[in-house]
Amino acid sequence: MTINVRDLRKWKTEGKNFTMLTAYDYTTARWLDRAGIPLLLVGDSLGMTMLGYSDTLSVTMDDMVRHAGAVVRGAPNALVIGDMPFMAYHASAEDAIHNAGRFLQEARVQAVKMEGGGRVIEYTKQLTSMGIPVMGHLGLTPTFVNQFGGYRVQGRSDEAAEQILEDAKALEQSGAFAVVLEGIPSPLGQRVTEALTVPTIGIGAGPHCDAQVLVIQDVLGLNPDHVAKFVRQYAKLGEAIEAAAKQFDQDVRNGAFPTPEHEYSAR
Ligand code: KIV
């Protein structure tokens, strides 16, 4: 069954928790779709996970559209969301419309995500009025890393918490179908979740959000570096890859592979 944005509001009404995972390629998207993950986010975190950058700022729309198209082709059932990268909507509403349009037209995603409040609230209204569903993203928004002076929990002071709450309400008012809450205190995650009729999707925002999202490399144990405290690893695929590659290398060097049964034959 193909998931659509209306399903999310229904799940919120029913009090049903759900999941989103990031995906950046066709093969992984196929497995996640088979697993029944309802939402796949082609996050600009692909800058780190796929392209080896130290942050998301160098990611371009061309990068995003290429990867998003691959995920869409691999996931016929999930709702696929394209993450608008840095500078895709920062200069003007025209950029926001053009680039969100590229996501839907070229990659065939069903929705886009933008970080922040401020002008993004107005862009959300404009995009949704053109039939482009928008997911909001507040809190520790990674493209603001320089403004924040690092990856720090946001919304700690009363004033900052109120701002996040107000932005979330404004995004909902403007037509956002869901709001990602990243790196905020758990009580604030709960307040925002209770204040909205659309679902909140948390990452490091506590257990009260309507949904949870994680980066797929973290979930699968594919990230050999530091893993954030809010992550749970559900597999150790990195270690499995290393062991398999070592075994292949050893077998070839020892003459244990290939053997006659591995000879190429037309099927
Ligand atoms: O780019 C990304 O992966 C994200 C999620 C962590 C929400 O924005």
Side-chain angles (χ1 to χ4, degrees), residues 243-253 257:
K246 276 184 179 157
Q247 190 63 55
F248 171 62
D249 183 64
Q250 202 179 67
D251 285 356
V252 170
R253 284 190 285 112
F257 178 86

Side-chain angles (χ1 to χ4, degrees), residues 20-24 41-49 56 64 83 113 115 135-137 140-142 180-182 201-203 213-216 218 230:
M20 177 162 86
L21 283 169
T22 67
Y24 318 97
L41 172 69
V42 187
D44 61 357
S45 50
L46 77 77
M48 289 89 97
T49 59
T56 60
M64 293 302 302
D83 201 4
K113 176 171 85 54
E115 290 182 8
M135 176 179 279
H137 186 168
L140 202 187
T141 42
V180 171
L181 298 175
E182 179 165 358
I201 304 177
I203 174 162
V213 54
L214 286 174
V215 168
I216 190 66
D218 291 339
F230 57 78

Side-chain angles (χ1 to χ4, degrees), residues 121-135:
I121 293 163
E122 183 52 36
Y123 298 162
T124 299
K125 196 181 253 172
Q126 294 191 27
L127 292 181
T128 52
S129 77
M130 288 165 195
I132 302 177
V134 174
M135 176 179 279

Side-chain angles (χ1 to χ4, degrees), residues 3 39 82 87 109 147 173 212-213 229:
I3 307 297
L39 269 62
M87 293 314 293
V109 302
Q147 179 78 11
Q173 279 288 314
Q212 296 290 329
V213 54
K229 206 174 134 220

